[in-house]
Amino acid sequence: MTIKLVALVLLGLVSSTAVAQEPKVTPLMSKDLPESPGREALMITVEHAPGGPSAIHRHNAHAFVYVLEGSVVMQLMGGQQVTLTPGQSFYEGPDDVHVVDRNASSTQPAKFLVLLIKDKDAPPLVLAQ
């Protein structure tokens, strides 16, 4: 019984650590694009805890990133890794796979704004397989 209890506690700690590392995504607005039927613009903010990463993913969208606070490390599959600071921007195309997206600091949070131009029915993020 004690081994089961210890295992459950450890599993809970690992799970809560993993959850704490997930970025916080806040939808700000979405707007249909009448000149492009079936398309929309979606604006979100993404906040990474210190040292926090995102899973490898892609967007079925044109994604325009603008760093608001802290610094982030970004890399697309086949591209160079870059570190961005407030005021710098980054672009991901609809077919790009985002292999690195993490906070560059282990002590300070990071926050960036993302504008996605996408098909209205497409999910904003798809985890890479």
Side-chain angles (χ1 to χ4, degrees):
M1 171 112 165
T2 305
I3 293 173
K4 288 182 182 177
L5 181 59
V6 170
L8 286 173
V9 169
L10 288 174
L11 180 61
L13 289 173
V14 169
S15 297
S16 66
T17 301
V19 170
Q21 294 296 324
E22 290 293 317
K24 177 184 174 191
V25 177
T26 305
L28 300 176
M29 71 175 293
S30 65
K31 178 75 174 145
D32 289 348
L33 301 174
E35 62 282 340
S36 297
R39 308 264 298 158
E40 71 177 344
L42 174 64
M43 189 180 296
I44 62 174
T45 56
V46 178
E47 296 176 66
H48 283 302
S54 284
I56 296 174
H57 65 276
R58 59 188 293 277
H59 305 280
N60 292 320
H62 294 276
F64 300 87
V65 175
Y66 181 81
V67 179
L68 299 169
E69 301 171 12
S71 59
V72 293
V73 180
M74 303 277 187
Q75 181 180 5
L76 300 178
M77 186 176 289
Q80 295 294 316
Q81 202 170 94
V82 296
T83 301
L84 305 168
T85 57
Q88 293 185 306
S89 57
F90 187 78
Y91 170 78
E92 296 173 57
D95 297 321
D96 288 329
V97 176
H98 203 159
V99 294
V100 176
D101 171 5
R102 66 176 165 78
N103 188 336
S105 172
S106 60
T107 59
Q108 299 297 313
K111 182 176 183 179
F112 51 94
L113 178 73
V114 182
L115 173 65
L116 299 165
I117 308 295
K118 64 183 206 60
D119 289 340
K120 192 170 172 95
D121 60 350
L125 182 133
V126 177
L127 295 179
Q129 303 274 335

Coordinates of all heavy atoms in Angstrom, one line a residue, residues 16-65:
S16 N 2.0 17.6 -12.3 CA 1.9 19.0 -12.0 C 3.0 19.8 -12.6 O 2.9 20.9 -13.0 CB 1.7 19.3 -10.5 OG 2.9 18.9 -9.8
T17 N 4.2 19.2 -12.6 CA 5.4 19.9 -13.2 C 5.2 20.1 -14.7 O 5.4 21.1 -15.3 CB 6.7 19.1 -12.9 OG1 6.9 19.0 -11.5 CG2 7.9 19.8 -13.5
A18 N 4.7 19.0 -15.3 CA 4.4 19.1 -16.8 C 3.4 20.1 -17.1 O 3.5 20.9 -18.0 CB 4.0 17.7 -17.3
V19 N 2.3 20.2 -16.3 CA 1.3 21.1 -16.5 C 1.8 22.5 -16.3 O 1.5 23.5 -17.0 CB 0.1 20.8 -15.6 CG1 -0.9 22.0 -15.6 CG2 -0.6 19.5 -16.0
A20 N 2.7 22.7 -15.3 CA 3.2 24.1 -15.0 C 4.0 24.6 -16.2 O 4.2 25.7 -16.4 CB 4.0 24.0 -13.7
Q21 N 4.6 23.6 -17.0 CA 5.5 24.0 -18.1 C 4.7 24.4 -19.4 O 5.2 24.9 -20.3 CB 6.4 22.9 -18.4 CG 7.4 22.6 -17.3 CD 8.4 23.8 -17.1 OE1 8.7 24.5 -18.0 NE2 8.7 24.0 -15.9
E22 N 3.4 24.0 -19.4 CA 2.6 24.3 -20.6 C 2.4 25.8 -20.7 O 2.2 26.5 -19.7 CB 1.2 23.7 -20.4 CG 1.2 22.2 -20.6 CD 1.6 21.7 -21.9 OE1 1.1 22.3 -22.9 OE2 2.4 20.7 -22.0
P23 N 2.5 26.3 -21.9 CA 2.3 27.8 -22.1 C 0.8 28.2 -21.8 O -0.1 27.4 -22.0 CB 2.7 28.0 -23.5 CG 2.6 26.7 -24.2 CD 2.8 25.7 -23.2
K24 N 0.7 29.4 -21.4 CA -0.7 29.9 -21.2 C -1.1 30.6 -22.5 O -0.4 31.6 -22.9 CB -0.7 30.9 -20.0 CG -2.1 31.5 -19.8 CD -2.0 32.5 -18.7 CE -3.4 33.3 -18.6 NZ -3.3 34.4 -17.7
V25 N -2.2 30.2 -23.1 CA -2.6 30.8 -24.3 C -3.9 31.6 -24.0 O -4.9 31.0 -23.5 CB -2.9 29.8 -25.4 CG1 -3.4 30.4 -26.7 CG2 -1.6 29.0 -25.7
T26 N -4.0 32.9 -24.4 CA -5.1 33.7 -24.2 C -5.7 34.2 -25.5 O -5.0 35.0 -26.1 CB -4.8 34.9 -23.2 OG1 -4.2 34.4 -22.0 CG2 -6.0 35.7 -22.9
P27 N -6.9 33.8 -25.9 CA -7.5 34.3 -27.1 C -7.8 35.8 -26.9 O -8.4 36.1 -25.8 CB -8.7 33.5 -27.3 CG -8.6 32.3 -26.4 CD -7.7 32.7 -25.3
L28 N -7.5 36.7 -27.8 CA -7.8 38.1 -27.7 C -9.0 38.5 -28.5 O -9.9 39.2 -28.1 CB -6.6 39.0 -28.0 CG -5.4 38.7 -27.1 CD1 -4.2 39.6 -27.6 CD2 -5.7 39.0 -25.7
M29 N -9.0 38.0 -29.8 CA -10.1 38.3 -30.7 C -10.0 37.5 -32.0 O -8.9 36.9 -32.3 CB -10.1 39.8 -31.1 CG -9.0 40.2 -32.1 SD -9.0 41.9 -32.7 CE -10.5 41.9 -33.7
S30 N -11.1 37.3 -32.6 CA -11.1 36.7 -33.9 C -12.0 37.5 -34.8 O -13.0 38.1 -34.3 CB -11.6 35.2 -33.9 OG -12.9 35.1 -33.5
K31 N -11.7 37.5 -36.1 CA -12.4 38.3 -37.0 C -12.5 37.6 -38.4 O -11.5 37.2 -38.9 CB -11.7 39.7 -37.2 CG -12.4 40.6 -38.2 CD -13.6 41.3 -37.6 CE -14.1 42.3 -38.6 NZ -15.5 42.4 -38.6
D32 N -13.7 37.4 -38.9 CA -13.9 36.9 -40.2 C -13.3 37.8 -41.2 O -13.3 39.1 -41.0 CB -15.4 36.7 -40.5 CG -16.0 35.5 -39.7 OD1 -15.2 34.7 -39.1 OD2 -17.2 35.4 -39.7
L33 N -12.7 37.3 -42.3 CA -12.2 38.1 -43.4 C -13.1 38.1 -44.6 O -13.0 37.2 -45.4 CB -10.8 37.6 -43.7 CG -9.8 37.6 -42.6 CD1 -8.5 37.0 -43.0 CD2 -9.5 39.0 -42.0
P34 N -14.0 39.1 -44.7 CA -15.0 39.0 -45.7 C -14.5 39.0 -47.1 O -15.1 38.4 -48.0 CB -15.9 40.3 -45.5 CG -15.2 41.1 -44.5 CD -14.1 40.3 -43.8
E35 N -13.3 39.5 -47.4 CA -12.8 39.5 -48.7 C -12.1 38.1 -49.0 O -11.8 37.9 -50.2 CB -11.7 40.6 -48.9 CG -10.5 40.6 -48.0 CD -10.8 41.1 -46.6 OE1 -11.8 41.8 -46.4 OE2 -10.0 40.7 -45.7
S36 N -12.0 37.3 -48.0 CA -11.5 35.9 -48.2 C -12.5 35.0 -47.5 O -12.3 34.5 -46.3 CB -10.1 35.8 -47.5 OG -9.2 36.6 -48.2
P37 N -13.6 34.7 -48.1 CA -14.7 33.8 -47.5 C -14.1 32.5 -46.9 O -13.2 31.9 -47.5 CB -15.7 33.5 -48.6 CG -15.5 34.7 -49.6 CD -14.0 35.0 -49.5
G38 N -14.5 32.2 -45.7 CA -14.0 31.0 -45.0 C -12.7 31.2 -44.3 O -12.2 30.2 -43.7
R39 N -12.2 32.4 -44.3 CA -10.9 32.7 -43.6 C -11.1 33.6 -42.5 O -12.1 34.4 -42.4 CB -9.9 33.3 -44.6 CG -9.6 32.5 -45.8 CD -8.5 31.6 -45.9 NE -7.2 32.3 -45.7 CZ -6.1 31.6 -45.3 NH1 -6.2 30.3 -45.0 NH2 -5.0 32.2 -45.1
E40 N -10.3 33.6 -41.5 CA -10.4 34.4 -40.3 C -9.0 34.8 -39.8 O -8.0 34.2 -40.1 CB -11.1 33.8 -39.2 CG -10.4 32.6 -38.5 CD -11.1 32.0 -37.3 OE1 -12.1 32.6 -36.8 OE2 -10.7 30.9 -36.9
A41 N -8.9 35.9 -39.0 CA -7.7 36.3 -38.3 C -8.0 36.0 -36.8 O -9.1 36.3 -36.3 CB -7.5 37.8 -38.5
L42 N -7.1 35.4 -36.2 CA -7.2 35.1 -34.8 C -5.9 35.6 -34.1 O -4.8 35.4 -34.5 CB -7.2 33.5 -34.6 CG -7.2 33.0 -33.2 CD1 -8.4 33.5 -32.4 CD2 -7.1 31.5 -33.2
M43 N -6.2 36.4 -33.0 CA -5.1 37.0 -32.2 C -5.1 36.4 -30.8 O -6.1 36.4 -30.2 CB -5.3 38.6 -32.2 CG -4.1 39.3 -31.6 SD -4.3 41.1 -31.5 CE -4.5 41.5 -33.2
I44 N -3.9 36.0 -30.4 CA -3.7 35.4 -29.1 C -2.4 35.9 -28.5 O -1.6 36.4 -29.2 CB -3.6 33.8 -29.2 CG1 -2.4 33.4 -30.0 CG2 -4.9 33.2 -29.8 CD1 -2.2 31.9 -30.1
T45 N -2.3 35.7 -27.2 CA -1.0 35.9 -26.5 C -0.6 34.5 -26.0 O -1.5 33.7 -25.6 CB -1.1 36.9 -25.3 OG1 -2.1 36.5 -24.4 CG2 -1.3 38.3 -25.8
V46 N 0.7 34.3 -25.9 CA 1.3 33.1 -25.4 C 2.3 33.5 -24.3 O 3.1 34.4 -24.5 CB 2.0 32.3 -26.5 CG1 2.6 31.0 -25.9 CG2 1.0 31.9 -27.6
E47 N 2.1 32.9 -23.1 CA 3.0 33.2 -22.0 C 3.7 31.9 -21.6 O 3.1 30.9 -21.4 CB 2.2 33.7 -20.8 CG 1.6 35.0 -21.1 CD 0.7 35.5 -19.9 OE1 1.3 35.8 -18.9 OE2 -0.5 35.6 -20.1
H48 N 5.1 32.0 -21.6 CA 5.9 30.8 -21.1 C 6.4 31.2 -19.7 O 7.0 32.2 -19.5 CB 7.1 30.7 -22.1 CG 6.8 30.0 -23.4 ND1 6.2 28.7 -23.4 CD2 7.0 30.4 -24.6 CE1 6.1 28.4 -24.7 NE2 6.6 29.4 -25.5
A49 N 6.3 30.2 -18.9 CA 6.9 30.3 -17.5 C 8.4 30.2 -17.7 O 8.9 29.8 -18.8 CB 6.5 29.1 -16.7
P50 N 9.2 30.6 -16.7 CA 10.7 30.5 -16.9 C 11.1 29.1 -17.3 O 10.6 28.1 -16.7 CB 11.2 30.9 -15.5 CG 10.1 31.8 -14.9 CD 8.8 31.2 -15.5
G51 N 11.9 29.1 -18.4 CA 12.3 27.8 -18.9 C 11.3 27.0 -19.7 O 11.5 25.9 -20.1
G52 N 10.0 27.5 -19.7 CA 8.9 26.8 -20.3 C 9.0 26.6 -21.8 O 9.2 27.6 -22.5
P53 N 8.7 25.4 -22.3 CA 8.7 25.2 -23.8 C 7.3 24.9 -24.3 O 6.3 24.7 -23.5 CB 9.5 23.9 -23.9 CG 9.1 23.1 -22.7 CD 8.9 24.2 -21.6
S54 N 7.1 24.9 -25.6 CA 5.9 24.3 -26.2 C 6.3 23.0 -26.9 O 7.4 22.9 -27.3 CB 5.4 25.3 -27.3 OG 4.8 26.4 -26.8
A55 N 5.3 22.2 -27.1 CA 5.5 20.9 -27.9 C 5.8 21.3 -29.3 O 5.4 22.3 -29.8 CB 4.3 20.0 -27.7
I56 N 6.4 20.4 -30.1 CA 6.6 20.5 -31.5 C 5.2 20.6 -32.1 O 4.4 19.8 -31.8 CB 7.5 19.4 -32.1 CG1 8.9 19.4 -31.5 CG2 7.5 19.5 -33.6 CD1 9.7 18.2 -31.9
H57 N 5.0 21.6 -33.0 CA 3.7 21.8 -33.5 C 3.8 22.6 -34.9 O 4.8 23.0 -35.3 CB 2.8 22.7 -32.5 CG 3.4 24.0 -32.3 ND1 4.4 24.3 -31.4 CD2 3.1 25.2 -32.9 CE1 4.7 25.6 -31.5 NE2 3.9 26.2 -32.4
R58 N 2.6 22.7 -35.4 CA 2.4 23.5 -36.6 C 1.1 24.2 -36.6 O 0.2 23.9 -35.8 CB 2.6 22.7 -37.9 CG 1.6 21.6 -38.1 CD 1.9 20.7 -39.3 NE 1.7 21.4 -40.5 CZ 0.6 21.6 -41.2 NH1 -0.5 21.1 -40.6 NH2 0.5 22.2 -42.3
H59 N 1.0 25.3 -37.4 CA -0.3 26.0 -37.5 C -0.8 25.9 -38.9 O 0.0 26.0 -39.8 CB -0.1 27.5 -37.2 CG 0.5 27.7 -35.8 ND1 -0.2 27.7 -34.7 CD2 1.8 28.0 -35.5 CE1 0.6 27.9 -33.6 NE2 1.8 28.1 -34.1
N60 N -2.0 25.5 -39.2 CA -2.5 25.5 -40.5 C -2.9 27.0 -40.8 O -4.0 27.3 -41.1 CB -3.8 24.6 -40.6 CG -3.4 23.2 -40.5 OD1 -2.4 22.7 -41.0 ND2 -4.2 22.5 -39.8
A61 N -1.8 27.9 -40.8 CA -2.1 29.3 -40.8 C -0.8 30.0 -41.1 O 0.3 29.5 -41.0 CB -2.6 29.8 -39.5
H62 N -0.9 31.3 -41.5 CA 0.2 32.2 -41.5 C 0.2 32.7 -40.1 O -0.8 33.3 -39.6 CB 0.0 33.3 -42.5 CG 0.0 32.9 -43.9 ND1 1.1 32.7 -44.6 CD2 -1.1 32.5 -44.7 CE1 0.8 32.2 -45.9 NE2 -0.5 32.1 -45.9
A63 N 1.4 32.6 -39.4 CA 1.5 33.0 -38.0 C 2.5 34.1 -37.9 O 3.7 33.9 -38.3 CB 1.9 31.8 -37.1
F64 N 2.1 35.3 -37.4 CA 3.0 36.4 -37.2 C 3.2 36.6 -35.6 O 2.2 36.8 -34.9 CB 2.4 37.7 -37.8 CG 2.2 37.6 -39.2 CD1 1.0 37.0 -39.8 CD2 3.1 38.0 -40.1 CE1 0.8 36.9 -41.1 CE2 2.9 37.9 -41.5 CZ 1.7 37.3 -42.0
V65 N 4.4 36.5 -35.2 CA 4.7 36.5 -33.7 C 5.5 37.8 -33.4 O 6.4 38.2 -34.2 CB 5.6 35.3 -33.4 CG1 6.1 35.4 -31.9 CG2 5.0 34.0 -33.7

